[in-house]
Amino acid sequence: MQKNDIVITEIEDIGTGGEGIGRAEGYALFIKDTVIGDVVEAKIMKMKKNYGYARLMRILSPSKHRVEPRCIFARKCGGCQIQEMSYEEQLRFKEKKVRGNLARIGGLSDELLAQVMEPVVGMDEPFGYRNKAQFPIGTDKEGKLVAGFYAGRTHSIIPNTGCALGVPVNKEILECVLEFMKEYRISAYDEEKHTGLVRHVLIRYGFRTKEIMVCLIINGECLPHSEVLSERLSKIEGMTSITVNVNKERTNVIMGSRVKPLWGQTYITDYIGDVRYQISPLSFYQVNPVQTEKLYGLVLEYAGLTGEETVWDMYCGIGTISLFLAQRAGRVYGVEIVPQAIEDAKENARINKAENTEFYVGKAEEVLPEYYRRYEKEHPGEKAYADVIVVDPPRKGCDEALLRTMADMGPERIVYVSCDSATMARDVKMLRQEGYEVERVRAVDMFPQTVSVETIVLLSHKSPDSVINVTVDFGGDEGFGA
Ligand code: SAH
């Protein structure tokens, strides 16, 4: 098989970027814009040793799971990858991906998987779910100002102010910003030349509070005539915070580190369950509030709290899970690497009167082992104790040093929340070798229309009776200080 050959194949799987995977002459072929079950004619574009890339030429027989995408830019835009797949099939695909990784990488038997896998948690309405959108601003070929989304794997902007995953008010805000820029001749940022002012518009919307935040990311210190823009935007119902964020770097990273207020507060608030969170332009906050509430509810359920427990929440961000757990725990310790996030976590603890929480800045894989060693030294013959440890690491998963210390501490339950089921399965394998067994697994669809899937796993100690039960009074003293 070689370049430009035409092949006919049935799509059997999806790659990590959402592209369909078919087989021809024993080779796996990645074919964009295809859906599992499609029979397609494709042209080979590039061959590697064991696999290749082909371009979709014709759909000979459409999959029964193929649907009309809701957004006309679904194919071009890099935001969604699987809008052409029915939602039921998306959920099946995600559950299968989690199960496959736990079997292949985690070493779970079919028998165990049949016992522990619970049905995937989907959405009733899998569109309009995002509470956050970041629209790049640029100019089209005619020099007209545009806001939209990057085309998949590129940095060219597809003008689209009405993304189907976002909230309707995004459109009104973007049109207001573009109109203002046009009227006052304010330039859009040009990535290649590193000139021009407005780079992105960040919009956040509190689903429960209906509060709106607008933040313009600019390649400069200030936005000329900003009072006019503020005046206009402030008329939109729910407007609560208007700010600019300064980013003068030549970088793909959207936000800079400095936020300057233009109008109203510098944050909005929102609720997940009964917990109130304060959200600044720079804070990490889950983008799908409906599913986040379900996910955190499951964390609480899996943690099996009665009100007495000592809980560690590793990779805690702004303390979202920690505060959810604190409603039913004795004491919750949160650990997070970003100092600003810990500031937010402490503030969130304060506004929720969660006095049973403590937060520490540092790497999870350093803070916990250090605490463990220090505890042993200061309390000869005893060891540091936790009833439950929750981890919610970034894509790369947990560091081995953290997993080892967790196993040494021997909590009764470990709740693993993951945005990458492959690294999660790797870590689960290690925890199984260290005396834990998987009790419950559930995939939660936080990002409908995309290939991402969140997973929650409950692991229990195989012989909880062998663990010495010592409750610790761990003061926030030096060495761990945030
Ligand atoms: N549990 C939070 C955030 C999860 S995202 C929530 O649900 O909102 C993962 C978090 O891990 C991020 O906040 C990131 O800053 C943090 N992080 C990344 N590497 C880390 C490390 N080595 N140690 C501690 N935190 C880390």
Side-chain angles (χ1 to χ4, degrees):
M1 216 156 53
Q2 55 186 17
K3 198 175 162 177
N4 293 330
D5 280 0
I6 301 278
V7 295
I8 290 176
T9 178
E10 177 170 348
I11 305 303
E12 294 166 348
D13 203 353
I14 315 183
T16 45
E19 61 284 13
I21 304 174
R23 296 204 155 266
E25 294 173 26
Y27 290 99
L29 289 179
F30 291 85
I31 313 172
K32 208 174 130 352
D33 303 320
T34 58
V35 170
I36 294 178
D38 281 343
V39 177
V40 301
E41 192 178 85
K43 187 172 176 178
I44 309 288
M45 305 309 291
K46 199 157 144 193
M47 283 307 294
K48 302 259 182 177
K49 204 164 155 231
N50 303 312
Y51 62 94
Y53 297 91
R55 177 187 290 160
L56 173 65
M57 302 304 282
R58 240 175 359 133
I59 298 171
L60 300 176
S61 145
S63 163
K64 61 175 192 287
H65 308 299
R66 183 175 267 282
V67 295
E68 196 58 39
R70 188 172 297 196
C71 169
I72 56 167
F73 302 109
R75 272 198 186 183
K76 282 199 209 155
C77 177
C80 292
Q81 299 94 35
I82 52 175
Q83 243 195 66
E84 287 171 302
M85 188 188 285
S86 73
Y87 190 53
E88 295 71 49
E89 187 61 10
Q90 290 183 24
L91 291 176
R92 247 188 315 270
F93 159 70
K94 292 184 185 191
E95 193 174 280
K96 203 175 128 206
K97 184 161 149 185
V98 170
R99 178 189 292 262
N101 282 334
L102 280 171
R104 244 187 358 264
I105 306 168
L108 271 67
S109 66
D110 286 347
E111 199 188 355
L112 180 58
L113 279 165
Q115 277 171 32
V116 298
M117 284 289 293
E118 297 171 7
V120 54
V121 183
M123 292 193 83
D124 293 335
E125 172 49 33
F127 286 96
Y129 61 78
R130 287 187 65 99
N131 60 14
K132 173 186 170 186
Q134 299 177 112
F135 294 84
I137 305 291
T139 43
D140 65 10
K141 285 191 210 98
E142 283 82 50
K144 197 175 143 236
L145 286 167
V146 291
F149 285 94
Y150 291 128
R153 299 207 178 100
T154 77
H155 269 218
S156 60
I157 299 171
I158 299 168
N160 174 19
T161 52
C163 168
L165 302 190
V167 289
V169 77
N170 288 344
K171 197 176 169 68
E172 189 180 347
I173 293 167
L174 288 170
E175 278 161 14
C176 179
V177 172
L178 290 176
E179 189 54 40
F180 160 78
M181 287 175 66
K182 208 168 106 190
E183 222 175 297
Y184 288 87
R185 297 178 187 283
I186 291 165
S187 56
Y189 180 64
D190 181 324
E191 251 183 340
E192 263 160 43
K193 300 199 191 101
H194 191 51
T195 56
L197 190 64
V198 182
R199 301 171 73 124
H200 274 85
V201 177
L202 163 74
I203 303 170
R204 281 185 138 141
Y205 178 73
F207 272 55
R208 190 85 74 79
T209 57
K210 313 254 186 291
E211 292 180 6
I212 301 170
M213 164 190 290
V214 176
C215 175
L216 269 68
I217 294 97
I218 56 172
N219 174 37
E221 286 297 328
C222 62
L223 178 71
H225 310 286
S226 64
E227 67 292 345
V228 179
L229 180 68
S230 296
E231 213 264 321
R232 291 181 188 173
L233 285 174
S234 65
K235 297 219 170 77
I236 296 173
E237 203 186 321
M239 191 57 63
T240 303
S241 164
I242 307 174
T243 55
V244 290
N245 171 273
V246 178
N247 183 359
K248 296 193 277 191
E249 302 297 315
R250 207 172 195 144
T251 166
N252 281 343
V253 177
I254 296 178
M255 308 282 288
S257 57
R258 278 182 296 139
V259 176
K260 297 181 174 181
L262 289 184
W263 183 89
Q265 303 166 182
T266 54
Y267 59 86
I268 59 169
T269 50
D270 202 20
Y271 286 85
I272 299 173
D274 295 327
V275 184
R276 187 170 153 220
Y277 297 99
Q278 189 165 309
I279 311 149
S280 323
L282 288 168
S283 349
F284 174 88
Y285 187 66
Q286 293 284 359
V287 300
N288 183 335
V290 172
Q291 293 302 88
T292 300
E293 185 159 353
K294 295 180 194 166
L295 178 72
Y296 290 179
L298 282 171
V299 174
L300 205 52
E301 189 185 317
Y302 281 18
L305 303 179
T306 62
E308 301 294 317
E309 290 80 1
T310 299
V311 185
W312 284 77
D313 176 20
M314 312 308 290
Y315 310 89
C316 69
I318 61 166
T320 26
I321 292 178
S322 324
L323 293 175
F324 221 73
L325 294 165
Q327 301 174 100
R328 293 228 211 114
R331 197 139 198 92
V332 181
Y333 302 101
V335 182
E336 159 66 41
I337 198 168
V338 177
Q340 178 59 43
I342 288 293
E343 289 308 311
D344 289 345
K346 288 179 174 170
E347 180 61 16
N348 286 327
R350 198 186 56 76
I351 59 181
N352 288 286
K353 302 193 173 55
E355 277 146 21
N356 56 345
T357 55
E358 259 167 66
F359 293 98
Y360 300 98
V361 175
K363 290 184 181 169
E365 62 273 25
E366 287 174 8
V367 173
L368 200 67
E370 213 172 286
Y371 164 70
Y372 184 79
R373 280 192 296 271
R374 203 177 56 155
Y375 192 88
E376 218 170 19
K377 216 159 92 196
E378 290 172 5
H379 305 81
E382 290 175 28
K383 68 175 194 164
Y385 180 76
D387 294 282
V388 180
I389 299 180
V390 176
V391 296
D392 182 7
R395 293 203 149 270
K396 68 172 188 217
C398 296
D399 192 279
E400 242 185 85
L402 173 64
L403 296 172
R404 285 251 146 70
T405 304
M406 283 163 57
D408 287 343
M409 283 173 78
E412 238 169 78
R413 288 178 293 283
I414 294 173
V415 180
Y416 197 128
V417 181
S418 160
C419 55
D420 185 325
S421 56
T423 57
M424 178 267 294
R426 175 202 67 201
D427 294 348
V428 161
K429 182 175 179 183
M430 183 170 159
L431 289 169
R432 290 181 81 211
Q433 286 159 356
E434 298 277 345
Y436 283 83
E437 189 49 287
V438 176
E439 297 272 334
R440 300 175 72 175
V441 179
R442 201 146 187 189
V444 180
D445 190 19
M446 301 285 272
F447 308 99
Q449 321 307 331
T450 80
V451 287
S452 301
V453 58
E454 199 85 5
T455 313
I456 171 165
V457 178
L458 169 65
L459 295 120
S460 285
H461 209 278
K462 280 177 194 157
S463 52
D465 296 341
S466 65
V467 181
I468 324 153
N469 202 328
V470 192
T471 318
V472 198
D473 178 22
F474 171 45
D477 40 356
E478 68 283 356
F480 285 88

